[in-house]
Amino acid sequence: MGKLVSTLFVTLDGVYQAPGGPDEDTRGGFTHGGWSFPYADEDFGRFIGEVFVKPGAFLLGRRTYDIFSTYWPKVTDPADPVASKLNSLPKYVPSSTLTDPGWAGTTVLSGDLAKEVSALKERTDGEVQVHGSGALVRSLLALDLVDTLHLLTFPVVLGTGFRLFPEGAVPTAFRHAGGSVTGAGVSIQTYDLAGRPEYGEFGLPENA
């Protein structure tokens, strides 16, 4: 059975929208697209390379799928660790509107998300990887289907844009499983899902 592993780029204020380019996702009049680009150093590239050693399949939100499918099929260098996996491994897209995906190896999941993704995890050797796809990740977290979250936090505040954890997100606890900081200042932290938060209280010492 495969683990579901999410890799997400966010700003210090939690924005995940359009990290890769100005025209990637301009919903809501977003003008800050491409904010991750200045921080793509060797440390960052090394981490991404390590992530792409492990997938058995990809699960992508509709918008991320549309962005990826216009770019990665054109990258045909077999030595490219990202393109070679994205183009050759099975890709799954939960969508009620995508009917004829043009990217080879794509399957549209149109049924119940929990059942479809649980079955996908069961039949996949290696990781089921989710890249970007912030809205999908929130849904998967709410269903307790995410096993591991690689959260890359970039040292920039944008002030606008879609945020990963807006008001109303399901309360979720994580267990820190490792991390590092790149030379350019990107904090790469890995968290395993740990269930619901626990609560306590800092009381005054008894002799106070």
Side-chain angles (χ1 to χ4, degrees), residues 63-207:
R63 185 164 295 272
T64 298
Y65 176 82
D66 286 345
I67 293 166
F68 278 21
S69 65
T70 60
Y71 179 82
W72 289 111
K74 300 172 186 173
V75 182
T76 56
D77 179 1
D80 187 303
V82 177
S84 59
K85 292 294 176 66
L86 280 170
N87 288 324
S88 64
L89 289 174
K91 293 162 285 290
Y92 298 87
V93 188
S95 177
S96 58
T97 57
L98 182 64
T99 55
D100 188 21
W103 196 1
T106 300
T107 300
V108 177
L109 304 179
S110 55
D112 179 80
L113 184 65
K115 290 180 181 177
E116 296 267 25
V117 174
S118 295
L120 174 58
K121 290 172 67 174
E122 286 280 353
R123 65 176 182 266
T124 300
D125 292 324
E127 295 179 353
V128 178
Q129 291 191 352
V130 185
H131 293 275
S133 311
L136 173 61
V137 170
R138 283 200 303 272
S139 297
L140 295 171
L141 283 169
L143 294 167
D144 293 325
L145 287 170
V146 176
D147 297 292
T148 299
L149 174 63
H150 298 308
L151 193 65
L152 282 68
T153 304
F154 290 71
V156 60
V157 169
L158 299 178
T160 61
F162 292 114
R163 285 165 171 77
L164 179 57
F165 297 119
E167 190 79 16
V170 173
T172 306
F174 297 87
R175 184 179 303 106
H176 188 245
S180 62
V181 179
T182 71
V186 179
S187 176
I188 302 175
Q189 304 300 328
T190 298
Y191 301 97
D192 292 334
L193 196 73
R196 298 290 169 250
E198 297 179 2
Y199 305 96
E201 182 179 7
F202 291 101
L204 289 170
E206 290 186 6
N207 58 355

